[in-house]
Amino acid sequence: MSHHSRLQRLADQLNAHQSLWRANPFRDLTPAWIQQHPELAQQVLSLDDATVAHLEQHPEQTLARFAEVLPTLDQLAALLAVPDADAEGHAAAPRQGRQFAHIPGRKWQQITAFVGALGQPKAPVLEWCAGKGHLGRLISQQFEVAVTSLEWDQTLCQEGEQLALRAVLPQQFVCADALTPEAANAVKKTQHAVALHACGDLHGTLIRHAIERGTQGLTISPCCYHLTAQSHYQPFSRQGQACQLALSRDELRIAVQETATAPARVQRLRATEMAFRLGYQALIERLAPERRDEGVPSCPKALLGEGFEGFCRWAAERKAVTLGGDVDWSHWQREGEQRWYRLRRLSLVRAVFARPLELFLVLDRVCFLDEQGYHVTLSRFTDRAVTPRNLLIQAELRR
């Protein structure tokens, strides 16, 4: 199946099931789809905690499970397969000396997997949104190629330059905001541009600059599609525009809500915080309904140790809300826990569409590059346990 055909079929499936993923359980705990698909609702809301925890980490199993009561989901599942990147003969070198020693383990795994999938660049490399240039430094070391690393933070540029000097590698830094015309000057024709998890408009800008310059090659792992100046998604490709799949910025977030497994302690803290936030929200709906849409501020995790009342008083103070002294804290805490129980299960349904939405967005970029004269491949460069943002676009300008 061609990329263009697959993009259209994904859009068709997403439009067909839009009542399931457009409903935001954080705002509506009784979405309309519950009446439309009662068997699915019954299955979801009857799941025990252990099953929910398992399905949260295995979305492909969630899709298969829900397809038992909603068979049209099978058509969606058939569109999601992505081949693994061909990394044979390109395995990245192990850490050498101190230059990579301080990189966190999972981040290092992402970098080495990206480099393994990259293969030998056929031109000098441009590293986009480089940070300290860890990716570019490994590419330079591994493939003996010159690297230009673009980064907006002056401190990170200076630290990256010191690391490159220490490693005696041909890596130079350009300190510039990737969204400015100055950054566009760093993009050249005879170049291979790379970007690992550049967010939203950052990787989109790189793609457009590369096309304008006729850049020889690109290797990009996109991320955070909602980080864009546009309130609604503007498709890159003609095929994407023809799909007519309207996506708000909030709906773009769905594509990146899947996360790698967190430690048990982090999961417990998140459950406590969510129950507290939802309990506080329920309390505000009763005391000050006109302020129900203001949201709850993010809190320091240490605050959770002060209990539900302490959290609510802290949140109310931040929002200048008067709670009074006769609040039944046990009642509202139970209400929060019940809402979290329900929200967590309804969120599984929305999460089924995270990968399809992400794949639609990535294929739109793939089709755009294809339309602009590039030979493009799409693959997975690592397992989701290392990063769920594991889709890799490889593009080479056709001769």
Side-chain angles (χ1 to χ4, degrees):
M1 185 189 310
S2 71
H3 296 312
H4 293 261
S5 175
R6 191 179 188 189
L7 180 66
Q8 182 62 61
R9 290 181 63 181
L10 264 174
D12 291 343
Q13 286 300 309
L14 288 166
N15 275 318
H17 296 97
Q18 60 182 301
S19 65
L20 298 176
W21 57 266
R22 290 196 194 275
N24 186 342
F26 285 89
R27 298 196 182 106
D28 184 5
L29 286 170
T30 312
W33 67 257
I34 287 181
Q35 298 299 320
Q36 299 166 355
H37 305 291
E39 291 185 6
L40 176 62
Q42 181 180 7
Q43 184 189 74
V44 169
L45 295 174
S46 63
L47 294 172
D48 60 56
D49 286 346
T51 303
V52 171
H54 176 79
L55 293 177
E56 285 172 339
Q57 296 304 322
H58 299 86
E60 72 288 348
Q61 294 181 25
T62 311
L63 178 55
R65 188 183 188 109
F66 293 168
E68 295 173 3
V69 294
L70 193 61
T72 55
L73 289 175
D74 279 335
Q75 300 173 43
L76 183 63
L79 297 171
L80 300 184
V82 177
D84 291 334
D86 180 11
E88 185 177 354
H90 301 301
R95 302 191 197 211
Q96 297 181 10
R98 294 185 299 167
Q99 61 169 313
F100 298 117
H102 61 289
I103 304 174
R106 188 170 285 171
K107 184 64 178 178
W108 175 248
Q109 288 178 288
Q110 294 169 19
I111 290 172
T112 54
F114 185 100
V115 172
L118 173 65
Q120 178 69 52
K122 298 181 177 64
V125 169
L126 170 65
E127 180 189 15
W128 195 252
C129 301
K132 295 181 184 179
H134 298 317
L135 173 64
R137 200 161 64 258
L138 183 59
I139 291 172
S140 182
Q141 179 192 82
Q142 186 82 354
F143 300 113
E144 299 181 347
V145 64
V147 173
T148 299
S149 297
L150 184 137
E151 168 59 39
W152 73 273
D153 188 309
Q154 181 68 50
T155 299
L156 296 181
C157 288
Q158 292 171 350
E159 293 178 4
E161 287 171 347
Q162 290 301 312
L163 289 166
L165 284 171
R166 190 179 302 158
V168 195
L169 293 171
Q171 180 184 23
Q172 63 175 357
F173 279 75
V174 174
C175 188
D177 184 338
L179 300 178
T180 64
E182 181 184 2
N185 295 330
V187 184
K188 311 293 184 184
K189 179 179 177 65
T190 306
Q191 205 171 53
H192 190 122
V194 301
L196 172 58
H197 295 161
C199 295
D201 284 345
L202 297 176
H203 73 254
T205 299
L206 173 59
I207 290 172
R208 296 186 187 280
H209 287 334
I211 288 170
E212 290 170 2
R213 298 292 196 275
T215 299
Q216 188 172 336
L218 292 110
T219 302
I220 299 174
S221 175
C223 189
C224 299
Y225 309 91
H226 61 285
L227 296 181
T228 173
Q230 305 295 327
S231 61
H232 286 75
Y233 183 62
Q234 305 296 316
F236 285 74
S237 65
R238 292 189 295 273
Q239 181 65 53
Q241 294 163 14
C243 289
Q244 297 185 327
L245 179 64
L247 295 168
S248 68
R249 188 184 291 130
D250 180 63
E251 288 162 348
L252 291 174
R253 289 178 182 271
I254 300 171
V256 294
Q257 285 178 343
E258 181 189 353
T259 59
T261 306
R265 178 178 175 276
V266 173
Q267 294 181 49
R268 288 194 299 271
L269 283 173
R270 179 174 182 269
T272 299
E273 181 179 359
M274 289 302 302
F276 281 10
R277 290 167 69 90
L278 291 165
Y280 171 80
Q281 187 68 34
L283 175 59
I284 293 303
E285 289 171 7
R286 174 65 61 85
L287 297 180
E290 72 281 0
R291 305 187 62 175
R292 60 177 294 176
D293 295 328
E294 291 186 9
V296 183
S298 297
C299 75
K301 295 300 180 280
L303 180 67
L304 301 176
E306 298 182 15
F308 178 65
E309 180 179 354
F311 172 86
C312 289
R313 294 201 178 280
W314 174 87
E317 182 179 350
R318 294 299 181 281
K319 292 290 185 176
V321 174
T322 301
L323 294 179
D326 58 347
V327 176
D328 185 346
W329 299 109
S330 296
H331 168 78
W332 294 110
Q333 182 172 352
R334 285 194 302 273
E335 176 67 20
E337 290 167 352
Q338 290 167 7
R339 289 191 179 197
W340 171 233
Y341 177 95
R342 187 176 179 89
L343 184 153
R344 194 178 176 195
R345 285 152 178 79
L346 294 178
S347 294
L348 283 174
V349 176
R350 205 182 202 204
V352 161
F353 297 91
R355 190 62 159 190
L357 280 165
E358 181 177 21
L359 191 54
F360 171 85
L361 296 169
V362 173
L363 281 170
D364 180 37
R365 288 147 176 81
V366 167
C367 289
F368 182 52
L369 286 161
D370 177 74
E371 292 167 359
Q372 299 301 318
Y374 284 81
H375 171 70
V376 194
T377 61
L378 176 63
S379 63
R380 294 186 331 133
F381 72 96
T382 191
D383 294 333
R384 71 165 299 280
V386 176
T387 173
R389 308 284 75 74
N390 61 3
L391 295 177
L392 190 71
I393 300 171
Q394 296 254 51
E396 185 174 347
L397 192 63
R398 297 190 188 100
R399 299 302 178 191

